[in-house]
């Protein structure tokens, strides 16, 4: 069982799929506002496409496919979950929000766990400007991930300075190569021309 903090972190990740990822058409094509988290899915050869989406009050999913894998879409442009399951899900939620008797509030928000209200919470969505290059701080060592240094020989260490491999020095005046005996071109033996036998009575 995961903690509330882990669950909320997963929700924020799935919100990124809707806000900036493969499910962005939930916003820009179907105009659904408020907090929505979800994930598209597409199987090999575009046989199945689906979308699972949820709000703080309601979760639903839509699947498009066939029992027989022989039947499938010819391209990912048509068969991907964002183009098959997602529109069904979006039309359904549009109807849900229109029906006020259901009590589904499009402005509801996912609750933040109490410990995340007091602990340090880094909002990575707003701390770097779009297109900015972040500082490369490396991957850290084993101790940064909770392992004792003495138990982990793979802790990051500074890379030893290595010199480029030196090329072998060539002598200034290399010894002359011994003269190779000249080979005479091979001659093909001459074959005698064919002669006809003398005619009878004419002698040689």
């Amino acid at each position: 069982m995961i903690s509330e903090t882990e669950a909320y972190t997963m929700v924020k990740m799935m919100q990124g799929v809707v806000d900036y990822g493969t499910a962005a058409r939930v916003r820009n094509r179907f105009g659904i506002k408020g907090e929505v988290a979800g994930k598209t899915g597409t199987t090999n050869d575009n046989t199945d496409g689906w979308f699972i989406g949820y709000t703080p009050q309601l979760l639903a999913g839509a699947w498009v496919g066939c029992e027989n894998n022989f039947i499938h879409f010819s391209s990912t442009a048509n068969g991907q979950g964002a183009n098959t399951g997602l529109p069904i899900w979006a039309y359904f939620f549009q109807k849900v929000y229109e029906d006020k008797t259901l009590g589904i509030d499009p402005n509801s928000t996912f609750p933040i766990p109490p410990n995340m209200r007091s602990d340090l919470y880094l909002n990575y969505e707003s701390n770097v400007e779009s297109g900015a290059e972040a500082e490369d701080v490396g991957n850290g060592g084993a101790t940064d991930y909770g392992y004792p240094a003495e138990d982990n020989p793979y802790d990051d260490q500074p890379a030893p300075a290595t010199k480029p491999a030196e090329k072998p020095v060539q002598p200034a005046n290399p010894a002359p190569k011994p003269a190779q005996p000249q080979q005479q071109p091979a001659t093909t033996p001459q074959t005698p021309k064919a002669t006809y036998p003398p005619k009878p009575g004419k002698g040689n």
Side-chain angles (χ1 to χ4, degrees):
M1 185 175 181
I2 63 175
S3 66
E4 290 183 345
T5 302
E6 292 171 328
Y8 185 76
T9 303
M10 293 175 63
V11 168
K12 298 302 289 184
M13 292 172 58
M14 295 301 100
Q15 281 185 283
V17 174
V18 174
D19 292 337
Y20 313 109
T22 56
R25 62 187 67 185
V26 167
R27 306 291 196 198
N28 54 43
R29 180 175 297 183
F30 297 98
I32 295 178
K33 309 298 182 182
E35 294 198 0
V36 178
K39 185 69 180 73
T40 60
T42 311
T43 58
N44 293 352
D45 298 325
N46 310 296
T47 302
D48 305 279
W50 67 84
F51 178 71
I52 306 295
Y54 56 99
T55 68
Q57 295 175 296
L58 183 63
L59 180 147
W63 167 76
V64 174
C66 185
E67 294 282 343
N68 190 336
N69 292 350
F70 177 78
I71 302 173
H72 58 83
F73 289 91
S74 59
S75 68
T76 303
N78 294 323
Q80 62 178 304
N83 207 36
T84 56
L86 187 148
I88 299 172
W89 183 95
Y91 286 131
F92 169 72
F93 265 75
Q94 285 178 342
K95 297 298 183 182
V96 167
Y97 287 147
E98 290 174 2
D99 189 347
K100 303 304 179 183
T101 63
L102 298 175
I104 302 297
D105 182 8
N107 298 317
S108 61
T109 58
F110 291 103
I112 301 176
N115 65 318
M116 294 189 72
R117 295 182 183 275
S118 57
D119 293 349
L120 176 64
Y121 174 66
L122 300 178
N123 181 5
Y124 293 102
E125 295 178 358
S126 61
N127 67 345
V128 178
E129 295 182 3
S130 176
E133 184 174 348
E135 179 185 359
D136 184 1
V137 295
N139 295 329
T143 55
D144 296 321
Y145 299 93
Y147 295 99
E150 60 273 11
D151 295 341
N152 291 272
Y154 304 105
D155 201 358
D156 286 354
Q157 299 293 335
T162 57
K163 295 181 180 179
E166 297 180 358
K167 295 182 179 180
V169 179
Q170 299 291 338
N173 295 316
K177 295 181 179 180
Q180 298 291 332
Q182 295 183 354
Q183 296 180 354
Q184 297 295 331
T187 58
T188 56
Q190 296 290 331
T191 57
K193 294 182 179 180
T195 57
Y196 292 100
K199 294 181 179 180
K202 293 290 185 179
N204 292 336

